Amino acid sequence: MTPHAPGRAGNRARHGGAGVPPRTARGRGRGRGRSTRTAALLTVALLLVGGAAAGCGGRATTHHKPGTSHEQATGSAGTLLDAQDPTGHRLREVPAEGAPQVRLAARPDSEDGWNLQLTVKNFRFTPDSTGGAALPGAGHAHLELDGRKLARLYGPWFHLPAAQVPEGAHTLTVRLYADDHTAWAVAGKAVEGTLQLTATAAAPGQGGHSHTPPPSPPSAPASPSEASADRTVTLSVRDGKVTPAPGRTELRRGERVALRVTSDRADTLHVHGYDKELALPAGQEATLVLTADRTGLFEVETHESHLVLTQLLVR
């Protein structure tokens, strides 16, 4: 052995053991560090995926998955049938015990038309989750007159203007729907309530009925309910355009506003924030009168054509 051998051996021992170059030892340390960081990143990714999956089972969203229909929205309540209700919505079958129920009653309004009351059992209105999954005993309702849809209802009360009911005998139907727009059903029949309603000519202020005028220009005489309004906003929809151009209608809180709308195609008017709806027959003028008892900015739009007609600015 040469005189320098012990020194070299000592150096190797001090740098990580006999026969192990210092650079190799450090490389292994870096490899272990990279493996540890990779494992940590994979753990975080799995936790994020798991959290997202858990969220899917929580509160229903207000919109269904893009590219799918309302009836394909997730939800395990009941059994989705191939059968449909009279308006083309698929039935969602549930057992008779604990199933949603609804009754419909009407009272003449002192100013115009009728006030309708829905009495429900095993059911709650959920306007904030419409379009989401079908949850047990939750959703909204549709109101029909002689099989023609008048409005979507998000609560137990609804004012039916006389102008929407022609003179004579009629059948009002209210039907319950899940948030995904399937109709709740028992034994293959949609859950609904009906009411016979007879509209007759009545003096202004006595409720009942006032004739729906034939199609006419915006200068048509005002109905009794419209005459009591503080403001009248006249709008028309033709070929997908709104006249006059959408703007803001400023109101003081407590004022009554009449929205007179003529559309060249059948549609439904909706006042956001007030949950007021009005059927718009093709080519006929329709009027919605409401009291601006809430402050804020509220859009008035059409359901089918998705057009903003105006904005109500209530101060």
Side-chain angles (χ1 to χ4, degrees):
M1 179 178 293
T2 64
H4 298 287
R8 293 194 187 99
N11 288 337
R12 286 198 298 269
R14 285 192 299 272
H15 287 288
V20 180
R23 185 172 299 175
T24 303
R26 287 196 297 271
R28 288 181 180 177
R30 286 196 298 271
R32 285 195 297 271
R34 284 196 297 270
S35 299
T36 301
R37 288 194 295 273
T38 301
L41 290 173
L42 287 173
T43 301
V44 171
L46 288 173
L47 287 174
L48 290 174
V49 172
C56 292
R59 182 178 177 275
T61 59
T62 56
H63 297 284
H64 57 78
K65 182 179 178 181
T68 64
S69 67
H70 286 296
E71 290 148 12
Q72 291 171 319
T74 57
S76 59
T79 302
L80 191 60
L81 306 180
D82 291 331
Q84 300 179 345
D85 72 357
T87 60
H89 294 77
R90 292 179 66 181
L91 302 183
R92 186 173 291 277
E93 179 88 28
V94 292
E97 184 177 357
Q101 300 177 30
V102 61
R103 289 185 299 154
L104 180 62
R107 304 175 185 176
D109 186 86
S110 60
E111 293 187 359
D112 169 65
W114 300 265
N115 293 314
L116 307 182
Q117 181 182 17
L118 282 66
T119 303
V120 297
K121 184 178 180 181
N122 303 323
F123 184 82
R124 67 187 187 281
F125 291 96
T126 52
D128 59 336
S129 59
T130 300
L135 303 178
H140 55 277
H142 288 185
L143 176 67
E144 297 176 3
L145 176 70
D146 300 330
R148 178 175 63 88
K149 181 182 174 181
L150 292 181
R152 184 187 297 174
L153 310 184
Y154 296 102
W157 286 94
F158 180 78
H159 177 251
L160 177 61
Q164 294 192 42
V165 186
E167 188 173 358
H170 304 278
T171 300
L172 283 175
T173 302
V174 64
R175 190 175 299 117
L176 298 183
Y177 291 82
D179 284 330
D180 67 346
H181 300 276
T182 54
W184 292 113
V186 174
K189 295 184 178 180
V191 176
E192 61 184 37
T194 60
L195 175 70
Q196 300 303 311
L197 184 70
T198 301
T200 58
Q206 298 300 314
H209 171 267
S210 64
H211 285 291
T212 303
S216 56
S219 58
S223 65
S225 60
E226 185 180 343
S228 65
D230 300 298
R231 296 279 302 278
T232 298
V233 179
T234 303
L235 303 161
S236 67
V237 180
R238 187 174 184 82
D239 297 329
K241 296 182 179 180
V242 181
T243 305
R248 288 186 178 180
T249 302
E250 296 192 12
L251 300 166
R252 295 190 305 273
R253 183 173 182 177
E255 281 190 314
R256 286 170 60 83
V257 59
L259 301 173
R260 302 177 67 182
V261 181
T262 304
S263 174
D264 61 348
R265 54 174 290 185
D267 212 323
T268 303
L269 177 145
H270 181 214
V271 183
H272 285 278
Y274 284 86
D275 287 332
K276 296 289 187 181
E277 291 191 347
L278 174 69
L280 300 176
Q284 298 184 30
E285 184 181 83
T287 302
L288 173 67
V289 179
L290 63 87
T291 301
D293 53 6
R294 299 178 60 185
T295 58
L297 185 64
F298 308 96
E299 287 191 344
V300 180
E301 67 171 8
T302 55
H303 269 173
E304 301 299 328
S305 53
H306 305 291
L307 296 173
V308 175
L309 304 183
T310 188
Q311 292 179 325
L312 302 181
L313 179 60
V314 185
R315 300 182 186 278

